[in-house]
Amino acid sequence: MIKFFRRIREKQLLEGRVSKYLLYAIGEIVLVVIGILLALQINNWNDLNKERQKERIYLESLESEFRTNLETLNQVIASCNKLDVQLGEILTFFDTQKSDTATPEFIALSLGKCLSYEVVYTPTTGVQKDLISSGNLKQIGNAHLRQQIASFETSLETIKKQESKSLDLKKDITKSINGIISMRSIFKLVGNPIPGNSKFEQLDIKPVFDNMALENNFILYQAITRTTGNVYYQSLKKDIETIMELITKELNSKGA
């Protein structure tokens, strides 16, 4: 096209038609400018498409990660509820009438179940941390979603502090029981005896529940367990569900 205009321009100059030459020269310049603008626009479209594809990959990765985290959290909440029930049963043994009617085997089994629970939430955060540390969180267009992802780590830190309180109480309870009755006796009562004999072995497990400090620790343990499950875990669950809803909306808005 440019060669075509050049030929016309040269012809006009030879024929002495300066005004027409200027017109064609201007037309040639306009075509060049239009071509440059179109090239820039196409380049911008390509860059925009690349950014959208990159954002979609991040969103899909986040969706998978948070779906897994929600499933894990639901399992932890279920375990927390079971521990709450088990602690309630343990507390009934501090009632003399209840402990007198329960067999040592049943009491030992209840203690074993209670102390075996390890209610700790450990989510997967690889995608989130990568986005934040690399600075690619800005690739997420939705500002509300970015804020939710950025604050998720803070929510996890709060959960860890609460779980730490629970684990500390569990350690205190275990130490108290260790000082009252032989663990060898408990293992034997639940049907998993330790080979050999010991002078500390005692099958009467009821003295465990003649200790006010131990009862107080069990009460606090149950209170913290309930608070962790009903308040902290439920709050975190809402945060995850909110993030997943935002991710789904973003993916749907961007199409295939």
Side-chain angles (χ1 to χ4, degrees):
M1 181 64 73
I2 293 175
K3 288 183 179 180
F4 173 74
F5 275 99
R6 186 179 293 118
R7 291 195 189 98
I8 295 177
R9 182 181 60 191
E10 291 172 351
K11 183 179 179 182
Q12 297 301 326
L13 282 173
L14 290 173
E15 295 177 356
R17 299 176 181 177
V18 178
S19 60
K20 289 186 178 181
Y21 163 76
L22 290 174
L23 181 62
Y24 282 113
I26 292 171
E28 185 176 344
I29 293 171
V30 170
L31 279 176
V32 171
V33 171
I34 291 174
I36 292 172
L37 292 175
L38 284 174
L40 289 173
Q41 186 63 43
I42 292 172
N43 187 58
N44 288 338
W45 283 338
N46 289 335
D47 289 342
L48 182 60
N49 285 333
K50 288 179 181 178
E51 292 300 312
R52 285 177 176 173
Q53 290 174 4
K54 188 182 294 185
E55 181 185 10
R56 185 172 186 86
I57 291 172
Y58 284 138
L59 289 172
E60 289 174 345
S61 297
L62 285 168
E63 182 184 41
S64 176
E65 185 167 89
F66 277 104
R67 185 186 300 111
T68 299
N69 288 340
L70 182 59
E71 292 172 356
T72 302
L73 182 57
N74 284 332
Q75 293 172 0
V76 171
I77 290 174
S79 295
C80 196
N81 292 335
K82 289 179 181 178
L83 176 57
D84 182 16
V85 172
Q86 200 65 50
L87 286 168
E89 185 174 86
I90 292 292
L91 284 171
T92 64
F93 297 138
F94 286 93
D95 180 340
T96 303
Q97 184 176 357
K98 175 68 176 179
S99 61
D100 285 344
T101 57
T103 65
E105 289 79 8
F106 180 75
I107 295 175
L109 186 60
S110 296
L111 276 174
K113 287 181 179 178
C114 178
L115 297 178
S116 67
Y117 276 108
E118 190 81 8
V119 183
V120 176
Y121 178 56
T122 308
T124 302
T125 57
V127 178
Q128 303 160 58
K129 288 182 178 179
D130 177 65
L131 281 174
I132 294 172
S133 63
S134 65
N136 285 325
L137 186 60
K138 62 185 178 182
Q139 296 286 345
I140 307 299
N142 189 306
H144 186 199
L145 177 55
R146 288 200 307 271
Q147 189 274 329
Q148 288 287 324
I149 294 171
S151 63
F152 187 71
E153 188 66 29
T154 302
S155 299
L156 291 180
E157 290 174 1
T158 302
I159 290 290
K160 291 304 174 187
K161 290 179 181 179
Q162 185 69 11
E163 289 175 341
S164 180
K165 294 178 184 178
S166 180
L167 291 174
D168 287 343
L169 274 170
K170 180 182 174 181
K171 289 178 182 178
D172 290 341
I173 289 171
T174 303
K175 288 179 181 179
S176 297
I177 293 175
N178 282 341
I180 299 172
I181 190 168
S182 165
M183 282 295 170
R184 180 185 292 273
S185 304
I186 294 179
F187 276 97
K188 188 173 183 178
L189 287 167
V190 297
N192 187 23
I194 297 173
N197 297 308
S198 171
K199 63 180 180 180
F200 299 109
E201 187 174 334
Q202 56 186 100
L203 296 180
D204 185 7
I205 201 170
K206 293 175 184 177
V208 171
F209 303 98
D210 291 330
N211 187 311
M212 184 177 68
L214 181 59
E215 181 184 28
N216 289 338
N217 278 341
F218 269 115
I219 290 172
L220 290 173
Y221 191 21
Q222 186 183 46
I224 290 178
T225 297
R226 285 183 176 177
T227 302
T228 303
N230 297 334
V231 179
Y232 289 88
Y233 285 154
Q234 289 298 334
S235 177
L236 187 66
K237 182 177 179 178
K238 288 181 181 179
D239 289 344
I240 295 176
E241 289 173 342
T242 297
I243 289 172
M244 292 185 68
E245 288 174 4
L246 290 170
I247 291 174
T248 299
K249 287 181 181 178
E250 286 299 297
L251 286 172
N252 289 339
S253 69
K254 299 179 189 311

